[in-house]
Every structure is written in structure tokens, then in C-alpha cells.
């Protein structure tokens, strides 16, 4: 008669049991949720030769950026869907409170028409730029090898959509105050043809064609986003204040709060990646490859911000300072 072994029931999910403590809400709803990392030959549990399986094997499993356990990554802010909505509901209440308050004060009527013309060129076409950030974050999140990394990219994607919405809202308001400036009509022409945007358009169009997950997460979060944040948010915000446009300065300040959170998670990711020998040299190589393109975009944009002293130099220095802080 064989002895029957009785297994002691677990008090939590098996992948969290080793911690010997009650898992947090973040761990329960964020960690180890992907199913497409279980079968290396067939991530999506269908024909191994199916296009999506081939894509995932090549661009996610096949990336040169390696780690023994990407599922060990944790967002330092431990953001989950519930807390993201609570947090950003407050942010949106603040931003739209700004819109309402400045509208009541007839802020746009006090703007110099020349500055309004600048906004038509330098600001409202940014909804195209922010949409490229949204799309790039969506792709990186989709092909990430761990659900905790996917979540960070998806919340970043949602923030980019919020930036698009802010810009579109202001575009409509400005079109009412300055019907002769082309607001709401000319943004695509500026995005596709104005020299101020061509550096960022080239940077983001090329970023959107980086299929390899390791290179894509580095290019988006260590090269493209810092360049955009230090230029189209921070430097344009400074220029706005110099031209009496306090509203735009406050809106870009609010968006920079989002970008600071994005930088916290990518910083944690880089620290984790550098635990694996060879990743430092690999990431440095990608930075060397893409940094000139970002610098070119910063130079083209900042050349038009004549009222911000050393705009391009200080923006480029800020991007390098961020990367240097990560040991890169």
C-alpha cells in the first residue's frame, strides 16, 4: 500500500510564496501575468511558425539585452490600474482646473498675437509628437518579456494620450481666440514641413521602426523621451513664461511630473539590466548610435526659442545628465 502524500495548501500564488510575507496589491495584480513567456518555441501556443510567434521569438526572446529573470522587475512606484486612475484623475482635475481658471480670466485675449503665431508652429503640432510617444510605448509594452515592464509602458502610453488631449484642448481654445493663426487646421503642415519639427519627426519615425525589444526600450526611454521632455516640455514652458503665457508653463510643469515617474521606472529597469554582464556595453552602443539623432532634433527645435538662453545646450546637457546618473 503506497503512502499518499498530502500537500500543504499555499497561502498565496506560488510565484509569490517564496517571499514569506503577504503579497502587496501591486504584486498580486502586476507580477508574472504573461502567458507568452512559458514556451520559448511557441509563445502564443499555436503553430511555432505563425507570424506572431516568429516575431516574438526574434524581437523579444532574441534581443541581445538579457537578464536571467525579467519577471523580477518591480516598478518603484508600484502603480496599478486602480491607483493610476486615482492619481491621474487628480492630475486631470488640476490641468482642466487650470484651463477653466485661465479661460475665466480671458488669458488668451492678453497674449501677444506674435506669440500666438509661435504657438501655432511650436506647440499645437506637438499632438503628433505626443502620439508617436503613445504608439512607441504601446509597442514596447506589447513585446516586453515581463508584465511588470509591460504595465509601466502602458501607463506611460496613457500619459502620452493625456498630453495629446491637453494639446488638442488648447488648440481649440486658441482657435477661438486667434481664428487667423491656423489653429486646428495647419498643425499637420507644420509637423510634416516646418524645420522646427523635422528632427523630432525623423527621430520618432525611426524609433517606431525599432522592432528589437531591447533596443526599442532603450531608444524610447533613454534617448527620445528625454529629448522631447527637456525640449518640447521644459524649454517651451520656459519660453511660454517669458511671453506671458503662464498657462502653458503650468501645463508643461504638470506633464513633467508624469515624465519624472517614467524616469523612475526606467532607472530601476536599467539598474536591473546592468546586473547582467555585457548589457552596459550594449546599451552604451545603442546610445551612441541614437544620441546624434536626438541632438539634431533638439538643435532644430531650440533654434526657434530665441528667448531661452542656451536652450539647446542645456537641454542636451540635461539628457546626458539623466543617462550619466544611471551609470551610462
Amino acid at each position: 500500500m503506497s503512502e499518499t502524500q498530502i500537500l500543504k495548501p499555499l497561502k498565496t500564488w506560488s510565484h509569490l510564496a517564496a517571499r514569506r510575507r503577504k503579497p502587496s496589491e501591486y504584486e498580486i495584480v502586476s507580477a508574472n501575468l504573461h502567458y507568452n513567456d512559458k514556451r520559448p518555441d511557441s509563445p502564443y501556443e499555436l503553430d511555432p511558425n505563425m507570424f506572431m510567434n516568429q516575431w516574438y521569438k526574434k524581437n523579444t526572446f532574441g534581443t541581445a539585452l538579457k537578464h536571467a529573470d525579467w519577471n523580477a522587475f518591480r516598478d518603484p512606484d508600484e502603480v496599478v490600474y486602480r491607483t493610476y486612475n486615482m492619481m491621474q484623475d487628480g492630475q486631470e482635475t488640476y490641468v482642466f482646473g487650470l484651463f477653466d481658471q485661465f479661460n475665466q480670466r480671458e488669458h488668451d485675449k492678453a497674449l501677444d498675437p506674435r506669440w500666438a503665431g509661435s504657438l501655432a508652429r511650436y506647440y499645437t503640432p506637438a499632438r503628433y509628437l505626443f502620439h508617436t510617444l503613445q504608439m512607441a510605448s504601446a509597442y514596447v509594452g506589447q513585446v516586453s518579456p515581463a508584465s511588470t515592464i509591460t504595465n509601466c509602458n502602458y501607463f506611460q502610453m496613457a500619459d502620452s494620450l493625456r498630453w495629446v488631449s491637453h494639446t488638442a484642448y488648447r488648440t481649440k481654445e486658441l482657435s477661438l481666440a486667434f481664428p487667423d493663426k491656423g489653429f486646428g487646421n495647419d498643425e499637420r503642415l507644420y509637423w510634416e514641413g516646418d524645420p522646427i519639427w523635422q528632427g523630432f519627426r525623423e527621430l520618432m519615425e525611426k524609433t517606431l521602426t525599432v522592432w528589437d525589444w531591447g533596443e526599442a526600450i532603450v531608444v524610447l526611454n533613454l534617448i527620445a523621451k528625454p529629448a522631447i521632455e527637456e525640449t518640447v516640455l521644459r524649454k517651451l514652458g520656459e519660453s511660454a513664461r517669458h511671453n506671458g503665457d503662464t498657462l502653458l508653463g503650468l501645463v508643461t510643469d504638470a506633464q513633467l511630473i508624469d515624465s519624472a515617474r517614467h524616469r523612475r521606472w526606467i532607472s530601476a529597469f536599467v539598474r536591473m539590466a546592468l546586473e547582467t554582464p555585457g548589457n552596459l556595453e550594449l546599451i552604451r552602443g545603442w546610445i551612441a548610435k541614437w544620441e546624434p539623432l536626438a541632438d539634431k532634433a533638439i538643435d532644430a527645435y531650440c533654434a526657434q526659442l530665441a528667448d531661452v538662453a542656451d536652450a539647446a545646450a542645456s537641454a542636451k546637457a540635461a539628457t546626458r545628465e539623466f543617462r550619466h546618473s544611471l551609470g551610462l
Side-chain angles (χ1 to χ4, degrees):
M1 184 176 180
S2 62
E3 183 178 339
T4 302
Q5 182 180 8
I6 300 176
L7 297 177
K8 184 178 180 181
L10 292 173
K11 295 182 179 180
T12 186
W13 287 268
S14 58
H15 66 277
L16 299 175
R19 294 176 177 269
R20 304 183 66 81
R21 61 172 173 79
K22 183 180 179 180
S24 67
E25 177 190 15
Y26 170 74
E27 291 172 318
I28 291 170
V29 303
S30 301
N32 203 29
L33 299 182
H34 282 178
Y35 68 87
N36 54 7
D37 59 353
K38 311 304 182 191
R39 299 177 59 184
D41 187 54
S42 183
Y44 284 89
E45 300 179 349
L46 294 168
D47 181 354
N49 295 316
M50 183 184 75
F51 176 79
M52 191 62 194
N53 278 330
Q54 293 288 343
W55 187 278
Y56 204 86
K57 286 187 287 185
K58 177 182 178 181
N59 295 301
T60 300
F61 296 161
T63 182
L65 189 69
K66 302 296 185 182
H67 193 275
D69 183 17
W70 286 120
N71 278 301
F73 173 78
R74 295 294 183 267
D75 175 9
D77 288 294
E78 298 195 352
V79 179
V80 299
Y81 183 74
R82 181 182 67 84
T83 55
Y84 176 83
N85 279 284
M86 293 174 61
M87 175 174 62
Q88 300 305 62
D89 180 62
Q91 278 284 81
E92 288 300 274
T93 298
Y94 169 72
V95 171
F96 280 88
L98 290 176
F99 292 159
D100 289 343
Q101 184 180 101
F102 278 79
N103 184 53
Q104 291 169 4
R105 296 179 178 180
E106 298 185 329
H107 166 269
D108 291 348
K109 291 184 178 179
L111 292 177
D112 188 324
R114 290 174 298 178
W115 174 245
S118 296
L119 291 175
R121 286 185 60 202
Y122 310 162
Y123 172 58
T124 57
R127 72 173 187 264
Y128 290 99
L129 180 64
F130 297 152
H131 186 50
T132 65
L133 290 178
Q134 179 193 2
M135 292 189 291
S137 297
Y139 176 75
V140 173
Q142 169 65 35
V143 297
S144 289
S147 54
T148 47
I149 301 173
T150 293
N151 286 354
C152 287
N153 281 280
Y154 280 178
F155 293 135
Q156 180 173 292
M157 172 187 69
D159 289 332
S160 299
L161 179 58
R162 292 175 46 249
W163 298 0
V164 172
S165 298
H166 300 162
T167 311
Y169 191 95
R170 282 298 291 146
T171 300
K172 181 59 179 177
E173 285 193 325
L174 289 164
S175 74
L176 298 176
F178 300 96
D180 61 327
K181 299 298 183 183
F183 288 109
N185 296 313
D186 295 343
E187 280 79 17
R188 182 172 178 177
L189 294 175
Y190 287 130
W191 172 248
E192 293 182 347
D194 195 313
I196 193 173
W197 290 110
Q198 299 320 295
F200 280 120
R201 189 161 73 93
E202 180 183 7
L203 173 64
M204 291 312 300
E205 287 181 358
K206 290 182 176 178
T207 296
L208 285 166
T209 61
V210 180
W211 309 134
D212 179 277
W213 169 75
E215 185 174 4
I217 196 171
V218 167
V219 172
L220 173 62
N221 293 287
L222 297 183
I223 297 294
K225 278 183 86 290
I228 292 167
E229 291 157 357
E230 295 300 335
T231 307
V232 183
L233 296 184
R234 197 179 309 279
K235 293 306 173 185
L236 180 61
E238 292 178 21
S239 182
R241 286 186 165 93
H242 294 166
N243 287 276
D245 192 354
T246 306
L247 173 57
L248 180 54
L250 292 171
V251 170
T252 56
D253 285 350
Q255 293 166 339
L256 284 167
I257 293 174
D258 299 329
S259 73
R261 192 183 79 255
H262 305 163
R263 292 191 185 190
R264 287 195 294 273
W265 80 254
I266 195 61
S267 297
F269 173 84
V270 169
R271 286 193 295 271
M272 181 178 179
L274 295 186
E275 295 170 358
T276 301
N279 280 347
L280 175 59
E281 294 75 18
L282 180 67
I283 294 173
R284 282 178 171 171
W286 284 331
I287 290 172
K289 172 184 174 182
W290 286 88
E291 191 175 66
L293 198 58
D295 288 349
K296 176 183 172 183
I298 292 172
D299 286 336
Y301 190 91
C302 288
Q304 304 300 319
L305 304 180
D307 52 358
V308 180
D310 300 320
S314 58
K316 287 186 286 189
T319 64
R320 284 160 171 75
E321 182 179 348
F322 170 57
R323 291 188 285 270
H324 179 73
S325 72
L326 304 180
L328 301 174

